[in-house]
Amino acid sequence: MAAELVDPRALPPPPSGAHPVRIAGRYGLLVVAAVVVAFPIYVAVAVSIQPSDRLLRFPAVLIPGDLRLDTFERAFTQARLGRYLVNSAVVSLVITAGQLVTSILAAYAFAYLRFPAKRVLFVAFIATLMVPSEVTIVANYETVQRLGWLDSYQGLTVPFLATAFGTFLLRQSFLQVPRDLRDAAALDGYGHWGFLAGVAVPLARPMIAALGVFSFLLSWNQYLWPLLITNDDAYRTVQIGLKALASTNIDQLNVIMAGTVIAALPIFALLVLFQRQLIRGLTSGAVKG
Amino acid sequence: MATVALAGVTKRFGDVVAVDDLTLEAGDDDFLVLLGPSGCGKSTALRMVAGLEEPTSGRITIGGRTVNGVEPKARDVAMVFQSYALYPHKTVLDNIAFPLKARGVPKAERNEQAASVAAQLGLGELLTRRPGQLSGGQRQRVALARAIVRRPQVFLMDEPLSNLDAKMRTQTRAELVELHERLATTFIYVTHDQVEAMTMGSRVAILDQGALQQVGPPQEVYDRPANLFVARFIGSPPMNTLPATVEHLNGTAALRVGAGGRVALPEVLGNAAERGHGADVVVGVRPEHLRPVPPSATVANGDGIRATVRVVESLGHERHLLCEVEGAGAVIARVDAEAPVPHAGEPVLLGAEPRHVHIFDGATGGRLGP
Amino acid sequence: MVGPDEGDVAVAVSPRREWPLALLMLAPSIAVFVVFVFYPLGRTVWLGLYEVDPFGNRYWAGLGQYAEVLSSPAFRGSLWTTVVFTLITVPAGLVAGLALAVLAHRRLRGIAVFRTLFASTVATSVAVASLMWLTMLNPSTGVVNQVLKALGQDPINFLGHPSWALPAVALATVWLHLGFTFIVMSAGLQSVPDELLESARIDGAGPWMRFWHVTVPMLSPTILFALVVLTISAFQSFGQIDLLTQGGPLGHTNVVVYSVFRNVSSNPGVASVQALALFVIVLGLTLVQFRYLERRVFYGS
Ligand SMILES: Nc1ncnc2c1ncn2[C@@H]1O[C@H](COP(=O)(O)OP(=O)(O)OP(=O)(O)O)[C@@H](O)[C@H]1O
Ligand SMILES: [Mg+2]
């Protein structure tokens, strides 16, 4: 599996004797593509660190001058960005931890245990993948409302505490653990829990890490559900907070961009730190693992 | 140290009968080898002793205690797997200490015991490595050490040498025999390699299609195979077997072997002789017992069977004559490298000492005669 | 040997019971799925049978509501908008992602920097990406309009213009998914054996021919995977609409999910029917994906 995004060793070298002009041409295209792709990010950062009056000066706005960082301060004071970030962190961590626990357990049952109706349950798990959350929001909104979970962490997290995708991913990893290891552990004196904790989970760690990073990314970036069930500032996640920030500071693009940059930073950090895991999560299913 | 006994044990997987009514015992200090071709149920039998499979019917006892339904960990047996089943994420030391950890042995103590067993097996330098960083032979020793450290009553081994190269295998064979003597514990050892069975086992049990064919000390199994399957399975090259018919002429019994002629074998015919005229049997002679009589020698009719040499193979220290007995089949004779041999295409008369001739029932394959 | 008193009869063994443990391990997932997937799915079908008046009273409307909603111009309009949106974003996204992946598939000095940049949009959430484009496309201060001005053109209110709004939202969407598409295509390219391309080279195939006759066929499972994922996510698009256009102008970007969202609390019956229509479409697309995944698994083993 090509979990390596930026390790050049995974790439073919230029053909021997490739003409320098061809190589230069490729560099040229790469630079153009990079500028186009990164442009919105560059503009966001550039706008976020300049005072409002510079934003209308084109093309000066693209070469940041008169740098100000008070935009970031204002993003925190004009909207409760700090609170939103904490909420997002809490919600994402709870969802990630919850999904890891539920899917490790379920995957273990599917991979190692014999029980009646296993196939039926397996199909039921598959079926959940075919129901996008957009489809069930009407009824789920009603449920959460009845439970009194609007504007609450429970409402933001509980519906996402299980994942069929993660269950399949981990089941696949567990199935790759040789059967002899399970037998050896049984003879060594380990029951299912001991084997799960001592052997299966450690061996599936790369996939568990990938799933964790992937789950965190998805929950951090959630939009529709938190928007629907939160009105109270105290429970808004940062994605929804950005909307609030944008609508209350419509004429202050630099403040909006400052908030946007802040909201994006944790995930950029995640990408840098856990690049390998993230890519494994994103491509599982695409390329044979 | 414990006697392991299987009584009428059968294991079915759906329609497949993997082990068929197996009754077998491995006594204290026995080195019992389960031998048989691939798929004959050796592993299944072993796994039932370990508790990894439950028998469909029958009883298994270890040290007199019926263990049907008993968890593997409560049986006090250790197993070495063909794949070694080492935990890839654990160091050598942790792998060896893992069974002790499961039994709640304190860390310092279990590490000490694991290190001491590792040292006995020459793994002292490798304790901090992981299995992926070991050679096949080293991994095999770690698997062995993990079994030994528990001091189990019974050792089970499922083809533990099959992933080693020929040289390592020979060396490890001797070491396992020594280990068995040192530990003086019941070993049950599964293999499909007859050399391992002959060289290591104190007793060999031969299985075919889930059923026990014969059990006994290796030499006995070699010298007096209980049936055609055992006769053909043990020995390399295998025993020559030719179909023959019983003939009663003038009150004496003899065998007719195709167009190869008649042989009178009063000593070995035994109860085969009681078969009526024309009864089908199978004659077996091991290649090293088959002697080509030079065609020049004059021999009385009935002392051998006529054959034609097809190919002469030289192996350096000996030669194999591949001969054809018309109407009966092909046979191999092993002869000394120095002995004069006929050439390909020449006729030859093949004889054997009566005590080296085996007779089997043509229908059941069971041994006839002494 | 077995003692005579123990008899010789077959001992029937009950296999160790594992179902209680299995139940324990599956229970958390099952509970979540029952409460938040299966029940709401059924509930949605049921809610679709009721009409809710402005005062919150519920009236039985029966299947009539389904027929009414599905045939209404409003729903057809939003479905059509969704389809057009999909037809713009998916092909554009696939081509752009593949182009970037091919371009960056060479061991050159500094290639890691380019690859990181190309993948960077996976780190942007829909809200972050939408606000970036909101800034870029701002009618007065946005960079895009400033460029137009510098070129002597009139500025365009992209997000407020009936014919520009959907393409503008689509552009933001393609950009948002570009990192994902690039990563998937890159991984696919790395799994094409080099020997195959080398042997094609030896056979005299030029770069263009190698691309079409070796790379693309070898990459077809990857492309299909990306196609299905992008299509499904296009049908589920919501955040960019909510932040950039709120379905406007004049409903020109009112995709199905946005329409569901607007009806959730005010008109759950109508929202339910629309959501179920979305479900049927996504289900069809998912089944295609599963068939393909099944084949992959088959090839893989
Ligand atoms: N879990 C199982 N399910 C179904 N059939 C099985 C199972 N385990 C073994 N069998 C079948 O039982 C028979 C005996 O298998 P077993 O593994 O005991 O053979 P073996 O003698 O160990 O062979 P080998 O030398 O190849 O290891 C085979 O036909 C095999 O296909
Ligand atoms: Mg076996």
Side-chain angles (χ1 to χ4, degrees):
Chain A
M1 144 82 72
E4 213 58 69
L5 178 64
V6 295
D7 183 0
R9 278 167 303 178
L11 303 173
S16 55
H19 202 279
V21 172
R22 297 252 314 257
I23 294 183
R26 190 180 276 261
Y27 270 117
L29 287 173
L30 281 167
V31 169
V32 170
V35 166
V36 170
V37 171
F39 192 61
I41 298 174
Y42 176 79
V43 170
V45 175
V47 167
S48 73
I49 53 179
Q50 301 184 69
S52 296
D53 58 343
R54 271 186 66 91
L55 301 186
L56 276 166
R57 304 226 306 268
F58 184 82
V61 63
L62 292 181
I63 303 120
D66 192 9
L67 302 191
R68 298 278 173 82
L69 291 178
D70 66 312
T71 47
F72 289 86
E73 240 177 87
R74 278 154 65 201
F76 275 100
T77 51
Q78 292 179 13
R80 298 170 65 186
L81 206 53
R83 175 78 199 195
Y84 303 152
L85 283 168
V86 169
N87 287 343
S88 274
V90 169
V91 167
S92 305
L93 286 174
V94 169
I95 291 179
T96 304
Q99 288 193 347
L100 288 183
V101 170
T102 58
S103 56
I104 284 173
L105 292 178
Y108 188 88
F110 281 126
Y112 288 108
L113 301 181
R114 271 173 299 183
F115 53 93
K118 185 167 173 173
R119 271 197 70 84
V120 175
L121 280 173
F122 196 67
V123 170
F125 271 59
I126 292 181
T128 66
L129 288 178
M130 307 200 191
V131 187
S133 59
E134 289 80 4
V135 170
T136 47
I137 53 167
V138 191
N140 278 340
Y141 178 79
E142 191 192 65
T143 304
V144 167
Q145 190 179 32
R146 272 201 218 147
L147 290 169
W149 286 1
L150 294 178
D151 287 314
S152 76
Y153 286 136
Q154 302 93 290
L156 287 167
T157 55
V158 174
F160 305 100
L161 290 184
T163 157
F165 170 75
T167 304
F168 294 136
L169 218 57
L170 297 185
R171 172 180 166 268
Q172 216 53 40
S173 290
F174 287 158
L175 287 177
Q176 278 163 14
V177 175
R179 179 185 151 166
D180 279 357
L181 282 188
R182 169 74 196 110
D183 291 343
L187 280 163
D188 285 346
Y190 287 87
H192 282 294
W193 291 109
F195 179 69
L196 173 66
V199 180
V201 165
L203 286 182
R205 213 164 42 196
M207 213 31 120
I208 293 174
L211 178 63
V213 174
F214 189 65
S215 297
F216 189 89
L217 177 83
L218 287 193
S219 22
W220 184 272
N221 289 348
Q222 268 203 53
Y223 188 82
L224 175 53
W225 181 252
L227 178 68
L228 192 63
I229 70 156
T230 56
N231 270 321
D232 184 346
D233 238 13
Y235 290 99
R236 276 193 190 140
T237 61
V238 73
Q239 311 295 334
I240 313 308
L242 281 185
K243 182 182 181 180
L245 180 69
S247 49
T248 51
N249 298 279
I250 209 139
D251 50 346
Q252 298 180 48
L253 283 182
N254 49 357
V255 176
I256 298 178
M257 283 303 99
T260 305
V261 168
I262 292 167
L265 272 180
I267 298 296
F268 269 95
L270 202 69
L271 176 71
V272 172
L273 290 177
F274 297 104
Q275 184 201 109
R276 181 190 286 261
Q277 286 77 7
L278 186 63
I279 288 161
R280 194 181 287 126
L282 286 172
T283 54
S284 50
V287 176
K288 194 173 80 118
Chain B
M1 252 180 299
T3 303
V4 176
L6 290 82
V9 170
T10 296
K11 177 68 183 180
R12 285 196 195 85
F13 294 105
D15 292 342
V16 181
V17 182
V19 172
D20 190 3
D21 193 18
L22 179 63
T23 298
L24 187 63
E25 190 179 291
D28 283 4
D29 309 353
D30 233 347
F31 195 130
L32 176 70
V33 177
L34 299 185
L35 178 66
S38 185
C40 71
K42 313 177 289 285
S43 296
T44 306
L46 197 71
R47 292 169 59 81
M48 286 192 290
V49 173
L52 298 171
E53 306 280 357
E54 278 303 326
T56 312
S57 64
R59 182 199 307 279
I60 298 176
T61 56
I62 298 178
R65 175 171 75 120
T66 300
V67 292
N68 294 54
V70 174
E71 291 281 340
K73 64 178 172 194
R75 296 187 180 202
D76 202 11
V77 300
M79 184 156 165
V80 177
F81 293 80
Q82 181 175 0
S83 65
Y84 310 143
L86 301 179
Y87 306 110
H89 59 295
K90 293 185 186 293
T91 61
V92 167
L93 185 71
D94 288 345
N95 261 287
I96 300 174
F98 197 57
L100 299 178
K101 189 177 169 196
R103 281 161 181 72
V105 178
K107 183 165 182 153
E109 198 182 326
R110 66 177 188 251
N111 281 352
E112 190 186 321
Q113 289 183 31
S116 126
V117 171
Q120 286 167 34
L121 292 179
L123 295 166
E125 310 287 288
L126 309 171
L127 294 180
T128 56
R129 296 219 200 150
R130 283 175 210 281
Q133 303 163 312
L134 300 178
S135 72
Q138 291 166 338
R139 280 180 220 180
Q140 199 268 344
R141 277 155 208 270
V142 176
L144 211 53
R146 187 174 65 184
I148 294 172
V149 79
R150 285 174 41 191
R151 305 177 190 287
Q153 295 191 68
V154 180
F155 278 89
L156 307 175
M157 305 195 183
D158 193 351
E159 313 209 19
L161 306 187
S162 61
N163 288 331
L164 301 181
D165 65 33
K167 198 171 147 231
M168 275 300 297
R169 214 177 298 171
T170 314
Q171 186 190 331
T172 314
R173 248 168 26 209
E175 287 171 4
L176 281 179
V177 172
E178 265 174 52
L179 183 72
H180 175 243
E181 274 161 18
R182 186 153 56 83
L183 297 174
T185 302
T186 316
F187 273 42
I188 303 181
Y189 184 103
V190 161
T191 182
H192 62 260
D193 179 356
Q194 46 165 314
V195 178
E196 285 176 22
M198 298 300 286
T199 54
M200 299 166 78
S202 61
R203 291 196 307 142
V204 180
I206 293 143
L207 295 173
D208 182 37
Q209 300 189 0
L212 182 65
Q213 305 296 313
Q214 186 173 5
V215 56
Q219 197 63 47
E220 181 188 309
V221 171
Y222 188 83
D223 289 341
R224 288 173 43 78
N227 58 34
L228 263 179
F229 176 82
V230 176
R232 286 176 180 149
F233 189 74
I234 295 204
S236 173
M239 182 186 282
N240 297 303
T241 52
L242 293 172
T245 44
V246 177
E247 286 187 349
H248 289 278
L249 276 179
N250 313 326
T252 56
L255 292 177
R256 172 165 291 284
V257 185
R262 287 175 79 230
V263 276
L265 294 166
E267 305 93 324
V268 290
L269 265 176
N271 48 6
E274 286 151 30
R275 301 290 163 104
H277 184 80
D280 288 326
V281 295
V282 175
V283 191
V285 182
R286 295 205 179 273
E288 66 269 31
H289 296 142
L290 208 52
R291 300 256 162 270
V293 184
S296 50
T298 49
V299 287
N301 192 15
D303 284 354
I305 51 173
R306 286 186 299 280
T308 309
V309 178
R310 288 279 174 242
V311 179
V312 180
E313 285 179 353
S314 179
L315 277 72
H317 63 295
E318 65 182 28
R319 275 184 272 193
H320 291 177
L321 299 187
L322 278 61
C323 309
E324 177 86 20
V325 180
E326 200 185 319
V331 294
I332 297 178
R334 267 164 74 172
V335 292
D336 268 1
E338 282 90 43
V341 291
H343 296 105
E346 288 179 357
V348 68
L349 197 64
L350 297 170
E353 299 252 346
R355 65 190 172 95
H356 287 146
V357 178
H358 311 262
I359 314 274
F360 302 96
D361 188 301
T364 65
R367 184 179 186 86
L368 299 171
Chain C
M1 261 309 197
V2 182
D5 52 338
E6 293 183 72
D8 208 315
V9 276
V11 181
V13 186
S14 61
R16 280 171 219 119
R17 289 187 313 166
E18 293 180 333
W19 69 260
L21 180 61
L23 189 63
L24 185 68
M25 288 179 151
L26 291 170
S29 295
I30 292 176
V32 171
F33 289 149
V34 166
V35 177
F36 292 103
V37 179
F38 294 114
Y39 161 75
L41 196 59
R43 177 78 181 161
T44 305
V45 175
W46 190 82
L47 285 173
L49 300 169
Y50 287 84
E51 217 171 306
V52 178
D53 73 13
F55 307 103
N57 301 313
R58 204 168 261 179
Y59 299 101
W60 172 259
L63 286 173
Q65 179 154 266
Y66 281 83
E68 200 180 309
V69 171
L70 294 180
S71 61
S72 70
F75 177 73
R76 299 227 162 153
S78 65
L79 190 58
W80 175 243
T81 303
T82 310
V83 169
V84 172
F85 178 76
T86 305
L87 289 178
I88 301 174
T89 55
V90 175
L94 283 179
V95 169
L98 182 56
L100 289 183
V102 169
L103 196 57
H105 190 62
R106 264 283 177 269
R107 195 188 304 165
L108 296 174
R109 192 177 286 273
I111 196 70
V113 176
F114 290 105
R115 294 176 69 85
T116 308
L117 279 177
F118 293 164
S120 61
T121 77
V122 284
T124 57
S125 68
V126 65
V128 165
S130 301
L131 290 187
M132 285 178 178
W133 283 94
L134 195 65
T135 303
M136 297 264 293
L137 298 174
N138 185 294
S140 50
T141 55
V143 173
V144 175
N145 273 314
Q146 303 215 33
V147 172
L148 286 181
K149 263 189 268 177
L151 294 174
Q153 304 282 321
D154 286 336
I156 302 171
N157 183 4
F158 290 99
L159 298 169
H161 192 285
S163 43
W164 278 111
L166 194 63
V169 175
L171 175 64
T173 306
V174 168
W175 183 82
L176 169 66
H177 293 318
L178 201 53
F180 166 78
T181 324
F182 168 74
I183 289 171
V184 168
M185 295 287 190
S186 275
L189 277 182
Q190 285 175 31
S191 66
V192 176
D194 289 342
E195 294 85 34
L196 228 54
L197 291 162
E198 280 160 8
S199 97
R201 244 167 94 84
I202 292 165
D203 293 344
W208 196 241
M209 196 165 160
R210 289 201 298 274
F211 178 74
W212 282 110
H213 290 268
V214 182
T215 307
V216 169
M218 291 298 290
L219 214 54
S220 59
T222 307
I223 296 174
L224 186 54
F225 170 79
L227 172 80
V228 174
V229 172
L230 287 181
T231 308
I232 292 175
S233 85
F235 271 91
Q236 296 172 319
S237 296
F238 172 77
Q240 57 273 57
I241 309 288
D242 186 51
L243 284 160
L244 294 176
T245 62
Q246 285 84 45
L250 303 170
H252 274 92
T253 57
N254 187 19
V255 294
V256 175
V257 179
Y258 193 73
S259 163
V260 172
F261 168 76
R262 280 221 286 226
N263 286 320
V264 166
S265 47
S266 62
N267 208 340
V270 172
S272 294
V273 177
Q274 294 174 334
L276 287 171
L278 181 77
F279 173 55
V280 171
I281 293 167
V282 173
L283 183 66
L285 294 169
T286 317
L287 287 176
V288 171
Q289 184 187 19
F290 269 105
R291 272 185 87 139
Y292 140 80
L293 280 179
E294 210 172 331
R295 220 176 44 203
R296 290 281 328 185
V297 171
F298 180 68
Y299 284 147
S301 55

